[in-house]
Amino acid sequence: LRFDEQVRVVVFKSQVKGVFCAGADLKERAKMDDAEVGEFVRRLRNLMDEIAALPVPTIAAIDGYALGGGLELALACDLRVAASSAKMGLIETTRGLLPGAGGTQRLPRCVGIGLAKELIFTGRQIDGEQAASMGLVNHSVPQNSEGDAAYQRALTLAEEILPQAPFAVKMGKLAINKGMEVDIASGMAIEGMCYAQNIPTRDRQEGMAAFREKRPPRFTGK
């Protein structure tokens, strides 16, 4: 996906009705020794980092339970859509654990420190509407009879992104992600570097031409 130039948006969904991702198999985990647990979590954290680093926008379609590592997977995505009936939470403290695949870092960046601490300290599960009210998900939608309402809304969101200039979208994502890690002056410099890379693109010229000619732009990603 990282190197496929035809990919514009990636949507993460589950093929299991009622569950987005239920997190680690704790029965399997119980059979591991301490070293194996550490390696397992390290690999899981690396996977989430790779998802977060995908150059194109990513959307998590949460149509059911997203618990522990399952919510960490959703947090590694750029955007999240949830069914109002979906249940999500970083429940690790209820099992004698703490989030280890990015949850302690991505949740506070998403909802703020106070709310993140409350959710992690209590291990509370919340539904899609509650998640939307605190900014954990971008959209909450009523579940449908097929059980894929969040996926359908995620596709609609993806279709809003698809017509936009692909390289500009990628640079926008890069500027936001990198800029959030530094002070605002450094972030401005990052934005400037990303903008500079976009200036010589054909898509920028196409966007200007389409505006002048009062027609929809035809972006190619070049």
Side-chain angles (χ1 to χ4, degrees):
L1 292 174
R2 179 188 297 276
F3 300 109
D4 188 340
E5 292 295 323
Q6 300 303 308
V7 174
R8 302 284 183 89
V9 184
V10 176
V11 177
F12 286 80
K13 72 179 291 288
S14 172
Q15 291 183 305
V16 179
K17 191 172 183 178
V19 179
F20 172 72
C21 179
D25 183 343
L26 296 184
K27 292 180 180 178
E28 177 189 52
R29 185 79 67 82
K31 299 175 183 177
M32 299 179 183
D33 61 30
D34 290 355
E36 289 173 325
V37 170
E39 175 62 15
F40 178 90
V41 174
R42 185 192 65 78
R43 290 176 60 194
L44 195 61
R45 190 181 301 114
N46 287 346
L47 171 63
M48 302 308 179
D49 287 346
E50 287 188 17
I51 291 170
L54 282 171
V56 298
T58 53
I59 308 172
I62 307 169
D63 272 306
Y65 286 96
L67 303 175
L71 182 53
E72 289 177 307
L73 169 60
L75 284 166
C77 295
D78 298 309
L79 309 174
R80 285 159 292 284
V81 179
S84 56
S85 58
K87 297 292 185 182
M88 59 200 85
L90 294 179
I91 61 170
E92 285 86 349
T93 57
T94 70
R95 302 292 185 267
L97 305 165
L98 73 152
T104 64
Q105 302 306 303
R106 293 194 174 99
L107 185 62
R109 284 168 166 81
C110 184
V111 302
I113 294 173
L115 270 176
K117 286 180 175 179
E118 181 176 337
L119 292 173
I120 291 172
F121 293 170
T122 63
R124 183 185 306 148
Q125 296 183 34
I126 59 174
D127 62 27
E129 290 185 8
Q130 292 171 304
S133 71
M134 63 178 63
L136 176 55
V137 302
N138 296 74
H139 303 279
S140 173
V141 292
Q143 188 55 281
N144 59 27
S145 57
E146 289 76 29
D148 69 347
Y151 175 57
Q152 295 302 325
R153 182 65 182 87
L155 289 181
T156 301
L157 186 54
E159 287 167 359
E160 287 187 68
I161 298 170
L162 284 177
Q164 316 315 325
F167 188 75
V169 170
K170 288 180 181 180
M171 288 296 101
K173 173 173 176 171
L174 183 63
I176 293 169
N177 285 354
K178 295 301 183 183
M180 287 297 293
E181 298 171 1
V182 298
D183 63 90
I184 192 166
S186 301
M188 292 295 186
I190 291 169
E191 181 185 276
M193 288 186 286
C194 290
Y195 199 96
Q197 291 183 62
N198 192 70
I199 289 174
T201 62
R202 295 177 195 168
D203 279 352
R204 189 182 74 88
Q205 298 298 330
E206 167 62 14
M208 299 299 101
F211 178 77
R212 289 194 306 270
E213 297 164 16
K214 296 182 172 57
R215 61 172 175 79
R218 295 182 292 272
F219 295 123
T220 62
K222 303 296 183 182

